[in-house]
Amino acid sequence: MSLADHLRELRKRVVIAAIGILLGAVAGWLLYDPLIHKLTAPLAAVRHARGDVLVNLNFGGVTQPFSIQLKVALFLGIIVASPIWLYQIWAFLVPGLTKKERRTAMAFICAAVPLFLGGCYLATWALPKAVEVLYSFTPAGQANLADASMYLAFVTRFILAFGCAFLLPVFLVMLNVAHVLPARVMLKGWRVAVMLIAVFAAMMTPTPDAWTMLALMMPMVALYYGAVGVAFLMDRKRAREQPNWVDVPDDEASEL
């Protein structure tokens, strides 16, 4: 495919993914009331625990309620349409793969959707603790009326970051299938990978206890090693199917 063909293919995939997200956003718009209640539940828990009615959201403008409803609807659209935009990522990479590799890649894309949703679900478990700890820094006797836009931006990014983090093994295996990232390189860099995962988990779980951080870090490390194991199986299978004369140096005669 030429560069122009690749750009046209990319545009096609982006448009399809955008349409899917917009359709999901329609559902988010209709389900706004129960969704905003769920997203603000951590605030309600802090308000109940502290007995402070001033722990709440502040809509600081005439147009802000509308813009927030639109953002929350798009947030749900991204989650609901995850099978669509994940498939579009796979479909954009397919032309560069063989028929057998396409079947293998499709299996991993099918795994991407439950991994993404599982990460989002784990974020909803960690979110109340994170909000509780962050609000604990409010001085005694002071009110904390969080700006609605900033609070919901924090919450939605928190959830989406968890979901995207759980996609790590899928993209690692996809790079291996595309002959870009061998399994030995992934295993050799495990120290760097674990350190980066720990830093990411610490940033995404701003709490003083280690348990919330480990709740995100340990599954990500396990998924990383799972991706390494699958990559080793893929490399071994390719090595068995590869003819012996492929690795012969140019200055030596091969069996062929």
Side-chain angles (χ1 to χ4, degrees):
M1 294 176 66
S2 64
L3 178 60
D5 292 334
H6 278 293
L7 292 176
R8 281 192 290 268
E9 181 71 13
L10 177 62
R11 182 182 61 185
K12 174 185 175 182
R13 300 303 171 186
V14 170
V15 169
I16 294 175
I19 292 174
I21 292 174
L22 288 176
L23 292 177
V26 173
W29 185 274
L30 298 175
L31 298 173
Y32 173 73
D33 288 338
L35 186 58
I36 195 67
H37 177 75
K38 180 68 175 178
L39 294 177
T40 56
L43 277 183
V46 172
R47 181 170 62 248
H48 177 74
R50 297 181 57 175
D52 187 354
V53 296
L54 293 180
V55 177
N56 214 328
L57 293 184
N58 177 41
F59 290 85
V62 177
T63 61
Q64 195 174 53
F66 171 79
S67 62
I68 287 178
Q69 184 167 351
L70 185 61
K71 291 177 182 178
V72 171
L74 287 174
F75 162 72
L76 185 63
I78 293 174
I79 294 179
V80 172
S82 57
I84 297 176
W85 55 263
L86 285 171
Y87 175 81
Q88 298 310 313
I89 294 175
W90 170 82
F92 179 71
L93 299 175
V94 158
L97 304 178
T98 64
K99 185 177 181 180
K100 183 181 296 185
E101 289 171 340
R102 293 181 188 182
R103 291 197 299 267
T104 305
M106 186 60 183
F108 297 121
I109 292 300
C110 291
V113 174
L115 283 173
F116 176 77
L117 297 178
C120 292
Y121 178 79
L122 182 62
T124 62
W125 174 82
L127 180 63
K129 184 64 176 179
V131 172
E132 178 186 352
V133 171
L134 292 174
Y135 263 82
S136 67
F137 291 99
T138 304
Q142 302 298 316
N144 193 333
L145 290 173
D147 181 78
S149 181
M150 294 182 64
Y151 171 81
L152 290 172
F154 166 75
V155 170
T156 53
R157 290 172 184 171
F158 186 88
I159 295 173
L160 292 176
F162 269 61
C164 291
F166 272 52
L167 294 176
L168 171 67
V170 176
F171 287 103
L172 289 176
V173 174
M174 285 294 295
L175 291 174
N176 178 265
V177 171
H179 306 276
V180 175
L181 187 62
R184 68 179 186 278
V185 175
M186 296 166 59
L187 186 60
K188 185 178 180 180
W190 71 268
R191 293 178 180 85
V192 176
V194 172
M195 183 187 69
L196 293 176
I197 289 173
V199 171
F200 175 82
M203 293 175 61
M204 289 295 102
T205 55
T207 59
D209 65 283
W211 299 111
T212 307
M213 172 184 167
L214 291 175
L216 174 62
M217 179 181 172
M218 297 308 294
M220 288 187 64
V221 172
L223 290 171
Y224 177 82
Y225 278 107
V228 172
V230 174
F232 265 112
L233 294 176
M234 298 292 298
D235 288 348
R236 184 176 300 177
K237 182 179 179 181
R238 281 196 293 263
R240 287 198 304 265
E241 296 175 351
Q242 186 174 345
N244 296 330
W245 50 266
V246 172
D247 295 327
V248 176
D250 295 337
D251 58 347
E252 295 183 11
S254 67
E255 298 178 359
L256 183 62

